[in-house]
Amino acid sequence: MANHSPVRARPLIRSTHVPSDGTLAGIAALGVGGLLLGAVNALSGGRLGVPCLLHATTGLDCPLCGTTRMVAALLHGDLTGALRYNAPVLLGGVVVGYLWLSWVLERFGVRLLPRPSLSARSRAALIPVLVTLGLVFMVVRNLPWPPFAALYA
């Protein structure tokens, strides 16, 4: 007789990869540094900030141009102004902030927040896709006619 033992289904185990403490601290330091820079910019009336080398030499806005003013607008509660200065960086900041919070909460065993699970292929494509999107945004935001002129920081 043939052995007809039942096939066991593998339990669904969520990947709980959490970045190292150093990486989490680095992300936190970047976030705090950005908030401090935005606060200095807001308190100085926009006189102090980080000058963009590309903008200073060519007059073109890079994908990060407007980020300091975006943070300053957020600190004033002006979400519309923040979106106008640099919507992609604002969206990226929200995503990174959410992921950071979910990792920290998981690290301390407080709560598991849902997060996307990327395949190895998707993870490998993430950086090239983000760089390409940043370059496309840079080109589009420097086009001189409407509606693209509204993206100029």
Side-chain angles (χ1 to χ4, degrees):
M1 287 203 122
N3 184 0
H4 294 289
S5 61
V7 177
R8 288 188 191 180
R10 290 196 299 179
L12 295 175
I13 299 174
R14 195 176 136 208
S15 171
T16 57
H17 171 72
V18 176
S20 69
D21 290 344
T23 300
L24 292 174
I27 293 170
L30 284 174
V32 169
L35 287 173
L36 288 174
L37 182 60
V40 166
N41 182 267
L43 292 172
S44 71
R47 290 185 310 276
L48 296 175
V50 178
C52 175
L53 183 60
L54 180 71
H55 186 74
T57 56
T58 67
L60 297 175
D61 279 349
C62 79
L64 297 177
C65 278
T67 301
T68 303
R69 289 171 285 164
M70 176 200 70
V71 173
L74 282 176
L75 291 173
H76 283 293
D78 183 9
L79 182 60
T80 305
L83 287 167
R84 187 176 60 246
Y85 286 126
N86 202 323
V89 171
L90 179 59
L91 177 63
V94 169
V95 169
V96 169
Y98 176 84
L99 289 173
W100 180 84
L101 179 64
S102 74
W103 290 324
V104 168
L105 290 176
E106 186 173 332
R107 170 76 74 210
F108 289 114
V110 176
R111 183 169 189 189
L112 291 178
L113 295 177
R115 13 177 228 271
S117 177
L118 298 176
S119 68
R121 185 176 176 189
S122 296
R123 280 192 306 274
L126 185 62
I127 297 299
V129 166
L130 290 176
V131 168
T132 302
L133 288 173
L135 291 173
V136 168
F137 176 63
M138 185 178 99
V139 169
V140 168
R141 81 183 312 194
N142 285 293
L143 295 175
W145 53 84
F148 309 112
L151 298 172
Y152 191 74

